[in-house]
Structures are given as structure tokens and as C-alpha cells.
RNA sequence: GGAGAAGUGGCCGAGUGGUUUAAGGCGCACGCCUGGAACGCGUGUUGGGUGCAAGCCCUCGCAGGUUCGAAUCCUGUCUUCUCCGCCA
């Protein structure tokens, strides 16, 4: 959610910048400015009447105390009408505030100045790509066939247990997943992230805080009986750890990592592109999250980008890094880098990570603030910046590792994973 | 799931209808003191809205209600604790 001050102070700038996300904000911004003014007027009147009432109430108290009952009762007479006026204004304010918020949450985050213009993923800027991608001969198998051949993943039983998109990992397949999770968590810990195990179900306030609600309600599984949502990413519980918190400047940055399964309904997606592990309803992911001072958030983004890049290098995967264009960068993000690995058997790039700076967009919703250091007096609180990234999402990593590392002898396990798997080949 | 108790500022804790505009303490910040510190003394210290400012308004888990007036009374709800039941 954008800050109302930003819209008040530079509405033209907001409209112009959101155009780069292909979002026409003119009408909404006008609405917001008008509602904001109305809310302010109602509040002003309310405050004055309330002050009058508070003073009178205090006086009544004094009168009763000094035994002037008649005078007190007379004063009470006038209170009724005043009270009604105040009640009406409170109701007005509530409505203006609600309407204002309803408009505000519709505005996406302002894209960073480096975000290229464009409408779709074809306009994303490739900021790095390995010099050559591996090629396999014609006998090479896609990962779903390798998974069957070596009994790593049982998709059919997953369908039996739950439905499509809920695979059952077996034997070395299960062990391989566990190895990746441990490896990713250890790497993040080494990089200074605190490991956490968050809940996999969250309440409404948390889902709202990171921006899943109200817009993306249909993408989450909803446990209606208790009104909990299954997390679509660990970003949701981890970022909400600090919802409503007020930091001292010295407390920042805060860095967290966590492994969770992720649940996504992905309604209506079927076919070749989603075959095997390419797109699932439940998958595993290790997430990294940072809470930082505003002026440090782009350094932090670079830091996270380097971390993810290091993981891909260590795994020996061919990858590229994309700077998402205005049309492809997400609603809440100011700047996003996507990481894709090349799947040699499918001959296409698969997204395995997305690293984003949300600036103050999420922290505004969640009221995550800090108090700047100040030599004189108390500085006003300011919103912190939040960032997150996948480090990494497992299924497509598994897919590309299986495909790219296949040979007649079996599938080679990257060296960095061998201490975790306990085997160097899948045969 | 049942019965009972409790939720007050960064923390502890007083407060059962009107100088509570939330006592007191700890912590923190600044100042005095000091060669420098500790101790001591003084001032400040919930968060938010509005305003140049003084001020005014809201905020005692959350949401309603009663009242001229609510931290305080009533209803609902969430969380925590104790006991019972169930349980990895």
C-alpha cells in the first residue's frame, strides 16, 4: 500500500510512474485525494465537538463534586444533541476511512527507476546469462521420466492421495529434496539469516499484510472453518513476524530464512508446460527475508541477488538473471530479479527464484516502523523496507538437476549436496 | 472440548465511574555533577491523527453497549495461565 502522504504530495508523479506498470491510476488517485480531504474535514469537526464535550463532562464532574446538582443537570441537558452530532461524524469518518483504504489497496507499488518498460515477460531485461547452455543427445529424458525410471517421484500415488500437483517423493527422491532444503538453509545461515520454522497456516491479518488479500484470495487454499489460509510462500508468515513492530535504528537489518511447503491453487493451469515438477499445488521452498533501513534496501537487494546466484553456481546449474519489466513486476514489488535455470531436456528456461524489494509497500500495510537516531528530541517514526527472495524453490531445481546431470550411468549429484544426500549418483 | 482466573506504556506494576491530562519502579535519552566514569540529582520517554506552533482528538488485548463522563460497569471475541478431559 502506498503512503497517503506520497499521493498527497506528488499525485502526478504517482500516476506517471504507475503507467510504467501499465496501470492507469488517474481515477483512483482523484478519488483518494477527495476522500482524504473529506475525511480530514470530518475529523476536524469531530475533534472540535469532542473537545467541547470532554470539557463539559469534566465540568459536570466538578459541579457534582461541589454539590451544585442543578447546574450539573442543566449542563447535561445539552449533551444529548452534541453526542448525536459526534456519533454521526464518527460514522462519517469510518466510512471515509474505509472508502479511502479500499481505493488505496488497489494501487500497485511504484516501480524503481531501473525497471524497463514493457508489457510481458518478453520485455524483461536479461542482466546476466551463462555463455552457453548444455545440450543433451536425443536419448535424454525429461525429468518426469527420469523420476519414474529411478523411482524418485510417484505422481500417480500423489493423485490418489490428494490430486494432481501433489507429488509423492520416494526413496532417493525424498532424500534428495531433504538434502537441498538442508543445504539451502545452511547457506542462508552462513550468510547471516536467522533460521525460523513458521506456521504453515496464517490468519487473515497476515495474508493481508503481505498483500495476498484482498487481491489474490483465489490463489490460496482457505480453511474456512477456522478462517486460516495455507501459505503460498514463507514470505507471508516470516514478513508478518514484525507486523506492528517499532524498531530502533540499531535493531536493523533483520534477516530471516525458513523452509516451508508452499500451497497454491493455480486454478486452470494444465497441459505440457505444467507437466511433472514444472508447476505444483504443493512444493518446497527456502525463503530469505530482510527488514532494512530505507536507504539500505537496494544494497540488500543486491546482497540477496548475489546469495541466490552463489547457490546456482555451486549447484553447477546454467542460469540467467532477469530484471522484470513494468508489465511483469508484481503488484507489491518495486524491483524484482527473476532467476531461471535452463532445463536441457525440455529446452527451456524455468523460473527458480524471484528476489524483490518492496520498499515501504508491505511495511505500510503491516505498520513496521523504526525510529531514526536523532541528536535532538525524538525523530518521527518511519516505515522500514522489506525484501524477500526464494533461495531456492525446489521443484524446478530438482527438475533441471535431474535432466542436466543425466548420463547412461545414472544421475550425478552435485558435490555440494553429497554430504547431505550420502550418495553421489542416483542409479 | 469443560470449569475458573487474567490481559494496563519498551519491561514490571498500581488503579473497581469524575484533579488518572494512567501512580511508582526498571530500562532508555539528554543535561548537571566528574580529570573520566560509576553513584547521585534534574528533565524527558506509548503509539497514531491534525496543526507553523501551542494545542486539540483517538489509543489500557480487540469489537460493541450503558453513561454527561469508562482502564474501571455490561455483552461478544481473541490470547495467556491453572485444573479436568483428550493427545503426538
Amino acid at each position: 500500500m502506498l503512503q497517503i502522504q506520497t499521493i498527497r504530495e506528488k499525485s502526478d508523479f504517482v500516476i506517471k510512474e504507475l503507467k510504467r506498470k501499465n496501470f492507469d491510476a488517474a481515477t483512483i488517485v482523484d478519488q483518494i485525494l477527495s476522500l482524504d480531504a473529506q475525511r480530514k474535514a470530518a475529523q476536524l469537526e469531530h475533534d472540535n465537538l469532542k473537545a467541547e464535550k470532554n470539557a463539559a463532562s469534566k465540568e459536570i464532574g466538578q459541579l457534582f463534586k461541589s454539590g451544585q446538582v442543578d447546574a450539573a443537570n442543566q449542563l447535561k441537558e445539552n449533551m444529548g444533541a452534541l453526542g448525536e452530532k459526534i456519533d454521526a461524524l464518527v460514522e462519517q469518518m469510518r466510512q471515509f476511512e474505509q472508502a479511502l483504504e479500499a481505493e488505496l489497496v488497489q494501487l500497485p507499488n511504484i516501480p524503481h527507476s531501473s525497471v524497463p518498460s514493457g508489457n510481458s515477460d518478453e520485455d524483461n531485461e536479461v542482466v546476466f546469462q551463462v555463455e552457453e547452455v548444455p545440450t543433451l543427445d536425443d536419448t535424454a529424458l525429461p525429468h518426469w521420466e527420469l523420476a519414474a525410471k529411478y523411482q524418485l517421484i510417484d505422481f500417480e500415488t500423489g493423485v490418489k492421495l490428494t490430486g494432481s500437483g501433489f507429488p509423492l517423493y520416494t526413496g532417493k527422491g525424498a532424500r534428495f529434496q531433504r538434502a537441498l532444503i538442508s543445504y539451502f538453509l545452511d547457506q542462508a545461515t552462513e550468510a547471516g539469516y536467522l533460521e525460523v520454522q513458521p506456521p504453515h497456516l496464517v490468519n487473515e491479518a497476515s495474508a493481508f499484510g503481505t498483500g495476498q488479500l484482498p487481491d489474490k484470495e483465489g490463489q490460496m487454499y482457505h480453511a474456512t472453518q477456522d478462517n486460516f489460509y495455507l501459505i503460498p510462500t514463507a514470505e507471508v508468515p516470516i514478513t508478518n513476524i514484525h507486523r506492528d513492530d517499532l524498531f530502533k535504528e540499531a535493531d536493523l537489518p533483520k534477516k530471516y530464512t525458513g523452509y516451508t511447503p508452499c500451497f497454491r491453487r493455480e486454478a486452470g493451469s494444465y497441459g505440457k508446460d505444467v507437466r511433472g515438477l514444472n508447476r505444483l499445488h504443493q512444493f518446497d521452498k527456502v525463503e530469505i527475508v530482510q527488514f532494512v533501513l530505507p536507504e539500505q534496501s537496494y544494497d540488500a537487494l543486491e546482497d540477496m541477488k548475489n546469495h541466490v546466484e552463489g547457490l546456482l553456481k555451486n549447484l553447477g546449474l546454467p542460469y540467467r538473471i532477469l530484471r522484470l519489466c513494468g508489465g511483469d513486476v508484481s503488484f507489491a514489488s518495486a524491483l524484482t530479479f527473476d532467476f531461471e535455470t535452463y532445463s536441457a531436456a525440455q529446452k527451456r528456461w524455468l523460473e527458480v527464484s524471484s528476489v524483490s524489494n518492496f520498499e515501504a509497500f508491505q511495511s505500510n500495510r503491516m505498520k513496521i516502523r523504526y525510529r531514526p537516531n536523532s541528536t535532538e528530541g525524538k525523530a518521527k517514526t518511519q516505515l522500514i523496507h522489506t525484501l524477500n527472495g526464494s533461495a531456492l524453490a525446489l521443484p524446478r531445481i530438482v527438475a533441471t538437476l535431474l535432466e542436466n546431470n543425466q548420463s547412461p550411468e545414472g544421475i550425478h549429484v552435485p558435490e555440494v549436496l553429497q554430504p547431505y544426500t550420502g550418495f553421489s549418483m542416483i542409479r
Side-chain angles (χ1 to χ4, degrees):
Chain A
M1 193 158 72
L2 293 178
Q3 291 173 260
I4 183 77
Q5 297 96 300
T6 312
I7 296 169
R8 269 188 215 140
E9 285 161 19
K10 37 185 185 178
S11 58
D12 291 344
F13 173 79
V14 170
I15 292 169
K16 189 177 112 231
E17 287 300 301
L18 291 187
K19 275 215 177 86
R20 301 202 296 123
K21 274 196 172 179
N22 301 326
F23 189 93
D24 183 5
T27 317
I28 295 177
V29 165
D30 280 353
Q31 277 288 327
I32 288 171
L33 290 174
S34 152
L35 285 166
D36 185 44
Q38 291 180 85
R39 185 196 58 77
K40 209 180 223 178
Q43 168 114 43
L44 199 68
E45 197 181 345
H46 164 270
D47 284 1
N48 289 335
L49 293 181
K50 198 66 204 273
E52 199 181 314
K53 188 178 171 185
N54 286 347
S57 291
K58 196 172 262 182
E59 202 182 333
I60 291 170
Q62 298 294 338
L63 290 172
F64 272 124
K65 223 172 206 175
S66 59
Q68 296 169 262
V69 179
D70 289 346
N73 281 330
Q74 197 168 2
L75 205 48
K76 265 164 82 166
E77 301 272 308
N78 305 323
M79 291 289 99
L82 194 56
E84 275 173 34
K85 266 193 210 165
I86 291 171
D87 286 350
L89 283 165
V90 167
E91 176 58 21
Q92 259 186 47
M93 275 162 58
R94 201 183 60 79
Q95 283 179 10
F96 286 137
E97 265 160 31
Q98 259 179 18
L100 186 61
E101 166 123 343
E103 297 293 331
L104 269 174
V105 297
Q106 289 180 50
L107 293 181
N109 201 2
I110 293 170
H112 185 255
S113 58
S114 71
V115 169
S117 59
N119 299 315
S120 73
D121 53 3
E122 290 174 10
D123 301 314
N124 294 333
E125 176 195 343
V126 179
V127 295
F128 174 83
Q129 181 165 326
V130 288
E131 282 176 18
E132 54 186 287
V133 295
T135 49
L136 299 170
D137 61 46
D138 293 344
T139 60
L141 300 173
H143 69 267
W144 52 90
E145 289 185 29
L146 292 166
K149 179 175 173 184
Y150 296 104
Q151 297 178 24
L152 304 175
I153 306 169
D154 182 345
F155 289 100
E156 289 75 19
T157 302
V159 169
K160 172 181 168 184
L161 298 177
T162 309
S164 96
F166 292 92
L168 172 73
Y169 301 89
T170 60
K172 283 185 171 159
R175 177 84 186 214
F176 193 65
Q177 293 257 116
R178 183 152 58 90
L180 280 165
I181 293 165
S182 295
Y183 173 64
F184 292 152
L185 285 172
D186 284 356
Q187 291 292 300
T189 302
E190 206 169 293
Y193 294 86
L194 178 70
E195 182 177 343
V196 293
Q197 286 192 14
H200 299 168
L201 279 76
V202 293
N203 58 28
E204 241 178 293
S206 295
F208 177 82
T210 32
Q212 272 68 30
L213 290 180
D215 305 329
K216 304 179 189 166
E217 168 136 39
Q219 293 177 27
M220 287 186 291
Y221 288 98
H222 188 189
T224 53
Q225 196 167 10
D226 298 288
N227 200 20
F228 293 149
Y229 292 88
L230 277 74
I231 56 171
T233 159
E235 166 198 346
V236 179
I238 294 179
T239 312
N240 274 282
I241 289 173
H242 290 300
R243 170 151 47 89
D244 295 323
D245 279 0
L246 175 58
F247 290 106
K248 292 176 188 144
E249 191 167 331
D251 296 337
L252 299 170
K254 290 267 183 195
K255 302 165 72 176
Y256 295 93
T257 186
Y259 150 72
T260 67
C262 302
F263 304 91
R264 300 187 183 178
R265 293 186 63 231
E266 305 287 2
S269 52
Y270 290 99
K272 170 162 107 4
D273 285 355
V274 303
R275 192 140 182 215
L277 296 173
N278 288 342
R279 186 173 301 167
L280 300 169
H281 289 305
Q282 178 181 332
F283 64 94
D284 293 307
K285 180 158 65 65
V286 171
E287 187 79 359
I288 50 178
V289 175
Q290 291 204 29
F291 303 83
V292 303
L293 295 172
E295 58 270 26
Q296 289 171 5
S297 67
Y298 281 93
D299 287 342
L301 183 67
E302 195 61 22
D303 186 63
M304 291 170 80
K305 187 169 137 234
N306 291 337
H307 179 76
V308 172
E309 187 169 14
L311 297 177
L312 292 171
K313 276 185 181 160
N314 291 348
L315 291 172
L317 286 170
Y319 67 96
R320 64 178 188 179
I321 306 174
L322 307 173
R323 188 195 302 268
L324 296 194
C325 72
D328 214 23
V329 69
S330 76
F331 186 81
S333 171
L335 178 58
T336 297
F337 292 102
D338 269 9
F339 286 75
E340 298 182 336
T341 56
Y342 189 75
S343 156
Q346 297 183 71
K347 295 193 175 61
R348 62 185 187 117
W349 294 96
L350 299 175
E351 182 189 336
V352 293
S353 176
S354 188
V355 182
S356 301
N357 185 356
F358 300 95
E359 297 191 355
F361 195 82
Q362 292 181 327
S363 61
N364 190 32
R365 284 193 171 201
M366 283 185 271
K367 307 268 172 287
I368 311 180
R369 297 144 299 157
Y370 78 102
R371 194 180 298 284
N373 287 335
S374 166
T375 45
E376 47 186 280
K378 231 178 177 184
K380 221 168 151 48
T381 62
Q382 282 182 34
L383 296 172
I384 56 109
H385 283 190
T386 60
L387 304 94
N388 69 51
S390 0
L392 289 160
L394 266 70
R396 294 172 189 161
I397 292 289
V398 171
T400 45
L401 282 174
L402 295 181
E403 291 177 3
N404 296 12
N405 294 359
Q406 64 183 300
S407 72
E409 292 77 43
I411 297 166
H412 172 70
V413 175
E415 248 168 66
V416 292
L417 291 181
Q418 290 178 16
Y420 297 93
T421 55
F423 51 81
S424 57
M425 288 288 281
I426 297 171
R427 298 175 208 276

